Amino acid sequence: MCSSDLDSVPFADAAPAMQHLTQLYANRAEALARQGAKIVVMPEKSGLLLPTNAPALDPTLQSVADRTGATLVFGTLHVIAPHSFNEARIYTPHAPIATYDKQHMLPPFESNLQPGTSLTLLPRSAAPIGVAICKDMDFIHPALDYGRAGIDLLLDPAWDFHIDRAWHGHIAIMRGVEGGYAIAHAAKFGLLTVTDDRGRILGEIRTDRLPFASLLVDVPLHHDQTLFDRYGTWFPWAAALLLLAAILETSRQPPHRRPEPLQ
């Protein structure tokens, strides 16, 4: 399992820059696959993908997957008029490209994007592996839905903001603990973090100290059935009911009367 990140280009919004960035990622991904990486996760929203440049960009990464046998996950801003999607594109060896669309947008910067509505599992994978994107991990869903689907690992391309690298990246760890699966979080301007299904950190490095940061980790793949998978958000509801019962009990008690002074 490998997560990778390239912070020197925050967002490639022109066709030549996107082509160059994609080729850089393809070169790095191939080198990591030659070292044994089976999955390479790149960060969220690396650049702009249009119908005009997709025919050139997709073969660049797909050919790496086909040659090496590794699966590549690459984040883009995909514009398909009239909609735009924060999308993870999944390049599986000798298979059609699969996609996942981010469900929870970051306002106001992503308020104009179309949110996704469905889960995505890696095609042709021996183990059930899902994909989410960045702010999705701040919410109960889709993380709980993936847990109930029985995944072993969730891939999480992201884009953090330096100051929130630790607390935001580690929220994703808790989603894995709740759902009983491992997490691979690859954040631009943040952290590369890989954790197991119990939240133990298997590897972690910052991504803003080198032009290209990579982390090669062996991840144990299995799913733990958790109480959260089975019952969901029962604890806050139970706490609310206890609070309500306490308020009702207090309201039924007679008002406290001060003792009259002795004459």
Side-chain angles (χ1 to χ4, degrees):
M1 171 68 222
C2 177
S3 300
S4 63
D5 183 84
L6 187 66
D7 273 349
S8 58
V9 181
F11 181 77
D13 57 358
M18 184 59 168
Q19 181 65 55
H20 178 66
L21 181 65
T22 303
Q23 188 61 59
L24 286 176
Y25 271 121
N27 295 342
R28 295 290 187 170
E30 182 155 5
L32 292 166
R34 301 298 180 193
Q35 297 176 44
K38 300 301 182 186
I39 302 173
V40 181
V41 185
M42 292 161 272
E44 171 190 18
K45 211 159 53 175
S46 295
L48 185 62
L49 184 69
L50 301 168
T52 53
N53 65 359
L57 299 179
D58 282 335
T60 301
L61 294 169
Q62 184 64 52
S63 63
V64 173
D66 293 342
R67 284 196 302 272
T68 64
T71 295
L72 280 55
V73 180
F74 184 57
T76 69
L77 176 60
H78 193 183
V79 177
I80 308 173
H83 300 298
S84 300
F85 303 88
N86 186 331
E87 181 182 84
R89 296 180 73 76
I90 303 158
Y91 302 89
T92 303
H94 309 290
I97 298 168
T99 61
Y100 170 81
D101 295 326
K102 186 176 182 180
Q103 298 187 22
H104 297 280
M105 302 303 171
L106 177 64
F109 308 104
E110 296 181 325
S111 297
N112 62 324
L113 302 185
Q114 182 75 18
T117 58
S118 59
L119 308 182
T120 295
L121 299 180
L122 262 57
R124 300 188 181 181
S125 175
I129 297 174
V131 181
I133 298 177
C134 198
K135 196 167 180 62
D136 287 340
M137 304 303 282
D138 293 350
F139 295 84
I140 293 170
H141 300 282
L144 176 57
D145 302 320
Y146 276 120
R148 288 174 170 170
I151 66 167
D152 294 350
L153 171 66
L154 186 64
L155 311 176
D156 180 36
W159 186 344
D160 292 337
F161 299 99
H162 296 295
I163 193 171
D164 68 344
R165 67 169 62 90
W167 68 262
H168 185 258
H170 289 178
I171 288 174
I173 297 176
M174 289 307 302
R175 297 288 88 84
V177 173
E178 290 168 355
Y181 48 78
I183 298 283
H185 174 82
K188 191 185 311 183
F189 300 126
L191 297 171
L192 299 180
T193 305
V194 181
T195 56
D196 67 9
D197 56 296
R198 300 300 179 89
R200 291 176 289 234
I201 295 177
L202 305 177
E204 183 172 71
I205 59 171
R206 286 177 58 168
T207 63
D208 58 353
R209 291 179 172 174
L210 295 170
F212 184 90
S214 62
L215 182 64
L216 192 62
V217 178
D218 290 326
V219 183
L221 295 180
H222 62 271
H223 179 82
D224 284 330
Q225 183 69 43
T226 67
L227 288 174
F228 195 71
D229 279 349
R230 181 167 296 180
Y231 301 113
T233 55
W234 62 272
F235 182 78
W237 287 108
L241 289 173
L242 287 173
L243 176 61
L244 179 61
I247 293 172
L248 291 175
E249 180 64 24
T250 302
S251 67
R252 284 199 296 265
Q253 294 177 0
H256 180 69
R257 301 180 63 182
R258 296 177 59 185
E260 296 181 2
L262 297 175
Q263 298 296 326

